[in-house]
Amino acid sequence: MKALILVGGFGTRLRPLTLRVPKPLVDFANKPMILHQIEALKEVGVTEVVLAINYQPEVMLNFLKEFEPKLGIKITCSQETEPLGTAGPLALARDKLVDGSGEPFFVLNSDVICEYPFTELVNFHKSHGGEVTIMITKVDEPSKYGVVVMEEETRRVERFVEKPKIFVGNKINAGIYLLNPSVLDRIELRPTSIEKEVFPKIASDQKLYAMDLPGFWMDIGQPKDYVTGLGLYLNSLRKKSPSKLAFGPNMIGNVLVHENASIGEGCLIGPDVTIGPGCVVESSVRLSRCTVMRGARIKNHSCISNSIIGWHSTVGQWARIENMTILGEDVHVGDEVYTNGGVVLPHKEIKSDILKPDIVM
């Protein structure tokens, strides 16, 4: 089987982290976002992954080439010269996806984090005989999304309602699909939306089915959802592989610590914290609902909550960082500095307080 991952463009919503690497290579739970998806695809028997990309393809490929032999999976790029939406990339990659076997192929949005129940998806797809299966997830506020309306018994999708004003359902497209190769005959090589142009036509032909996504789901393409998604992911990890989490008297709730990281005495860490490789957390530090990326140093008595600390950054002694502060790569926050929602671009030094959410360039 093959898979296409919609990598897309510049990742502006996750800046300043995406100023260093393309969005799918931003660390999530101590490994690049896209590796979570590729590893799950490998488990279900996918042998080739095609990345649909229009920004820094050489950076992506160079990085992922080292994982090809480790994972035993072929990774190639399909590069857009202009943005082609969510359907155009499938037409562009047609020759890479169709091999004459007639096997369905996966399509994933690269921002989606979940438990990736691909085996169940394949089995369900083969059972109904339609052209497309989409995974759907339940949300509390369906008015913000495109809602999927379907026959509950057969799971056949009838229509899509974009940002409904009155309640028509609370199931939305989760950004994970299984498509028969015949779907490619429906897609032209031009900027096209798979959700708004292609799927509604297949639904009207009664060949589109939906499967409920078990477990958690989050689109982690922006900082607030990244931090929320981290909590959901760690909670799932506790249920499935609790041995991967850190335990001890100084840990609260779910905490993931890389084996190469060091943590000093008297710290209180958690809930929902990840600490990456090569990180140094000195003594009496308080961390909650945050991620500390590779090579960062958190100095004595500092306090970090609801924030993202980028690669090789330093947080000074007695500093306080909160309210969705994001430090880009190699940012240095001085001793006793307070930052409330500061978004700091790479290679900056912060010597004075950031009292309200602001961008530091």
Side-chain angles (χ1 to χ4, degrees), residues 226-259:
Y226 176 105
V227 172
T228 302
L230 191 65
L232 294 170
Y233 172 83
L234 292 175
N235 196 48
S236 169
L237 200 61
R238 176 176 283 274
K239 292 173 186 170
K240 293 193 160 189
S241 307
S243 61
K244 292 182 179 177
L245 295 174
F247 291 93
N250 59 341
M251 304 288 174
I252 303 172
N254 300 325
V255 177
L256 184 66
V257 180
H258 193 274
E259 59 190 13

Side-chain angles (χ1 to χ4, degrees), residues 321-338:
I321 291 180
E322 63 187 25
N323 191 26
M324 218 47 67
T325 290
I326 311 169
L327 306 185
E329 182 183 22
D330 183 40
V331 168
H332 300 281
V333 176
D335 293 349
E336 300 181 31
V337 167
Y338 170 65

Side-chain angles (χ1 to χ4, degrees), residues 23 45-46 87 176 246 267 328:
K23 181 171 58 176
V46 168
I176 298 172
C267 293

Side-chain angles (χ1 to χ4, degrees), residues 87-291:
L90 277 71
L92 186 66
R94 180 185 183 114
D95 292 344
K96 296 178 186 286
L97 294 170
V98 175
D99 57 8
S101 68
E103 281 289 310
F105 60 89
F106 292 94
V107 176
L108 280 71
N109 288 342
S110 67
D111 293 353
V112 168
I113 198 87
C114 63
E115 292 175 0
Y116 307 118
F118 292 145
T119 301
E120 296 92 323
L121 177 57
V122 170
N123 293 339
F124 175 70
H125 182 76
K126 290 180 174 174
S127 73
H128 63 61
E131 272 192 281
V132 175
T133 303
I134 66 172
M135 300 216 79
I136 56 175
T137 187
K138 191 184 289 187
V139 292
D140 294 331
E141 283 191 63
S143 60
K144 297 196 306 193
Y145 302 92
V147 173
V148 179
V149 181
M150 64 180 180
E151 284 182 359
E152 282 296 332
E153 199 172 316
T154 63
R155 314 296 297 170
R156 185 171 56 77
V157 175
E158 297 175 340
R159 59 197 168 100
F160 297 86
V161 182
E162 194 61 33
K163 296 182 178 175
K165 296 285 188 289
I166 58 168
F167 185 83
V168 292
N170 60 356
K171 304 281 181 72
I172 67 163
N173 177 348
I176 298 172
Y177 322 125
L178 196 57
L179 280 62
N180 286 355
S182 58
V183 172
L184 295 171
D185 297 331
R186 298 173 176 265
I187 303 171
E188 297 174 30
L189 183 51
R190 61 178 178 83
T192 329
S193 165
I194 199 167
E195 301 88 353
K196 294 178 182 175
E197 296 176 64
V198 179
F199 285 167
K201 288 178 183 172
I202 300 174
S204 68
D205 290 344
Q206 303 190 350
K207 292 185 175 179
L208 181 67
Y209 290 78
M211 174 183 153
D212 284 318
L213 177 70
F216 76 99
W217 175 88
M218 185 56 67
D219 177 328
I220 56 173
Q222 54 189 353
K224 179 172 64 71
D225 296 333
Y226 176 105
V227 172
T228 302
L230 191 65
L232 294 170
Y233 172 83
L234 292 175
N235 196 48
S236 169
L237 200 61
R238 176 176 283 274
K239 292 173 186 170
K240 293 193 160 189
S241 307
S243 61
K244 292 182 179 177
L245 295 174
F247 291 93
N250 59 341
M251 304 288 174
I252 303 172
N254 300 325
V255 177
L256 184 66
V257 180
H258 193 274
E259 59 190 13
N260 295 340
S262 70
I263 297 175
E265 294 181 1
C267 293
L268 191 57
I269 296 173
D272 302 335
V273 171
T274 62
I275 299 171
C279 289
V280 176
V281 179
E282 296 183 1
S283 62
S284 302
V285 167
R286 177 72 178 105
L287 303 177
S288 65
R289 282 181 58 81
C290 65
T291 191

